[in-house]
């Protein structure tokens, strides 16, 4: 078997406007792109370093470059799983190895991975954190998207929800606090009748990662069944985490930049379903090169949040095919 050569670079993709969550705002998406070249074959993978976990584009690039000698000595996708921990660097390499296998065999990813052919999916469309009026206006502008994901922060969230529901009475709603809601606020949100009624009135389907990872033990005090399911994001990294989450959460958000690639993401999906947890498949702000492998994991998920390219000023040529909220895997030239 020929040995591929490695190259890696940082790319910066402008966001359409500004994207704000409870931890801050950004105007560009910084991604790290891996290329494995083998003769005429060029395989790719993309990742997004996540500052929440101490990752930087430069640090992830250096970690990937450091794998060059191992790749030259025959590193494979399977041996990669032990060579790097879960995270962005392993994600880009893992996905590039999958793409390489597809191009070597002249087969699409579902055939190579032994999966069912992917079906088109409906993705959520994210409204970044802002005032109630601004978020309501953005919700009206997003009339093509039936499922809206709202970034929240704790204070003023009731007003945000009410304004958005007035603007979009037709929309399905999920909310994401990005660890921004305090423990006592969450307990009130889930227990106090008035706030439960608010959730029911506004038809909120799910709340994502309300507490800091270090505080999510508080969720053990909120009994099942819950008025709305609570989904782990920052608390859920890989399949090994699932068993410890089952008594705290109703669902897990699988992101390839956390799992360290498609290989572990598929394993985490299996573990989550075996534990009786619902599955969300999410993404970071990134191009279609990140969305394509995630779309394979998202088959059969309870919620799909793969709208990263929709929030950018532009996407890659031959990207994932978006028709409003409907998305489908595109040309093999992109990935897989």
């Amino acid at each position: 078997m020929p040995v591929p050569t490695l190259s890696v670079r940082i790319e910066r993709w402008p966001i359409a406007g500004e994207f704000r969550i409870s931890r801050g705002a950004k105007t560009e998406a910084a991604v790290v792109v891996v290329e494995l070249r083998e003769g005429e074959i060029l395989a790719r993978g993309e990742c997004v370093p996540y500052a929440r976990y101490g990752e930087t584009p430069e640090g992830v690039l250096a970690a990937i470059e450091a794998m060059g000698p191992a790749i030259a000595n025959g590193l494979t996708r399977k041996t990669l799983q032990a060579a790097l921990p879960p995270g962005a660097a392993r994600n880009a390499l893992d996905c590039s190895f999958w793409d390489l296998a597809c191009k070597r065999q002249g087969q699409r990813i579902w055939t190579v991975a032994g999966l069912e052919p992917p079906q088109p999916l409906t993705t959520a469309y994210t409204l970044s954190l802002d005032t109630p009026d601004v978020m309501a206006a953005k919700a009206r502008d997003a009339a093509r998207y039936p499922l809206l994901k709202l970034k929240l922060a704790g204070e003023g969230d009731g007003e945000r929800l009410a304004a958005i529901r007035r603007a979009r009475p037709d929309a399905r709603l999920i909310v994401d606090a990005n660890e921004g809601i305090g423990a006592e606020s969450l307990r009130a949100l889930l227990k106090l009748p008035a706030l439960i009624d608010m959730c029911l009135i506004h038809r909120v389907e799910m709340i994502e990662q309300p507490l800091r990872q270090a505080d999510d033990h508080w969720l053990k005090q909120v009994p099942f069944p819950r008025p709305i399911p609570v989904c782990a994001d920052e608390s859920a990294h890989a399949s090994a985490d699932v068993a410890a989450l089952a008594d705290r959460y109703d669902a897990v958000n699988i992101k390839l930049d956390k799992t360290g690639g498609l290989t572990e993401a598929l394993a985490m999906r299996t573990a989550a379903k075996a534990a009786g947890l619902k599955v969300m498949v999410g993404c970071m702000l990134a191009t279609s090169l990140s969305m394509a492998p995630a779309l394979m994991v998202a088959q059969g998920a309870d919620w799909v949040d793969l709208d990263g390219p929709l929030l950018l000023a532009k996407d890659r040529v031959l990207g994932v095919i978006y028709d409003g909220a409907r998305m489908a895997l595109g040309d093999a030239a992109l990935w897989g």
Side-chain angles (χ1 to χ4, degrees):
M1 183 75 67
V3 175
T5 59
L6 169 72
S7 64
V8 56
R9 65 181 179 273
I10 297 170
E11 295 180 351
R12 301 185 186 276
W13 294 75
I15 294 170
E18 180 184 71
F19 189 80
R20 181 176 296 275
I21 66 173
S22 61
R23 285 192 290 269
K26 59 171 63 177
T27 58
E28 66 176 14
V31 305
V32 179
V33 177
V34 164
E35 292 183 346
L36 296 177
R37 186 175 291 278
E38 189 178 280
E40 298 299 314
I41 294 176
L42 179 63
R44 298 187 297 174
E46 178 181 288
C47 69
V48 180
Y50 198 3
R52 166 66 177 76
Y53 305 128
E55 295 177 336
T56 65
E58 294 77 16
V60 167
L61 182 144
I64 294 170
E65 287 183 331
M67 298 303 296
I71 292 172
N73 287 325
L75 183 77
T76 66
R77 177 181 59 81
K78 291 182 179 180
T79 56
L80 170 67
Q81 308 310 308
L84 282 176
R90 195 176 80 187
N91 177 28
L93 279 168
D94 180 82
C95 290
S96 64
F97 273 119
W98 277 112
D99 193 31
L100 181 63
C102 292
K103 290 178 167 59
R104 279 172 172 169
Q105 298 177 36
Q107 300 283 348
R108 293 306 308 264
I109 180 62
W110 53 91
T111 301
V112 173
L115 303 171
E116 293 295 320
Q119 301 302 308
L121 300 173
T122 297
T123 180
Y125 183 78
T126 305
L127 303 182
S128 66
L129 183 63
D130 215 312
T131 66
D133 287 346
V134 170
M135 292 182 75
K138 290 180 178 178
R140 282 190 293 270
D141 291 341
R144 299 181 68 195
Y145 304 102
L147 174 61
L148 298 179
K149 176 176 172 177
L150 318 179
K151 292 292 187 178
L152 300 182
E155 184 177 353
D157 287 345
E159 291 81 1
R160 292 184 181 94
L161 275 170
I164 290 163
R165 180 50 79 197
R166 285 194 299 270
R168 286 291 307 279
D170 62 304
R172 297 168 55 206
L173 300 181
I174 57 179
V175 299
D176 183 9
N178 288 112
E179 303 179 285
I181 298 176
E184 294 303 322
S185 296
L186 176 74
R187 296 175 73 191
L189 175 66
L190 294 173
K191 284 187 169 182
L192 293 179
L195 291 178
I196 290 174
D197 289 344
M198 181 191 74
C199 293
L200 294 174
I201 290 169
H202 297 308
R203 291 175 280 131
V204 174
E205 294 186 12
M206 178 267 285
I207 181 169
E208 186 181 347
Q209 195 69 42
L211 304 182
R212 293 179 303 170
Q213 181 179 359
D215 293 334
D216 67 6
H217 60 275
W218 280 98
L219 288 170
K220 294 181 180 181
Q221 308 303 316
V222 184
F224 298 93
R226 292 164 175 169
I228 53 172
V230 181
C231 180
D233 182 2
E234 284 85 351
S235 293
H237 293 253
S239 57
D241 300 325
V242 169
L245 297 172
D247 65 348
R248 307 178 188 195
Y249 289 96
D250 307 90
V252 293
N253 187 350
I254 300 173
K255 293 179 179 175
L256 273 67
D257 281 310
K258 294 186 301 177
T259 66
L262 175 61
T263 302
E264 178 61 19
L266 291 170
M268 188 174 181
R269 182 179 69 177
T270 298
K273 290 185 175 182
L277 294 167
K278 293 181 179 294
V279 170
M280 179 180 187
V281 176
C283 68
M284 306 295 286
L285 275 168
T287 78
S288 281
L289 186 54
S290 286
M291 302 307 122
L295 192 149
M296 298 304 302
V297 185
Q299 299 296 308
D302 297 277
W303 299 279
V304 178
D305 179 27
L306 298 178
D307 63 344
L310 298 176
L311 305 174
L312 300 178
K314 64 177 181 177
D315 190 17
R316 296 186 187 277
V317 177
L318 299 177
V320 167
I321 300 167
Y322 288 93
D323 181 11
R326 295 290 282 175
M327 61 181 300
L329 194 64
D331 196 287
L334 172 72
W335 182 87

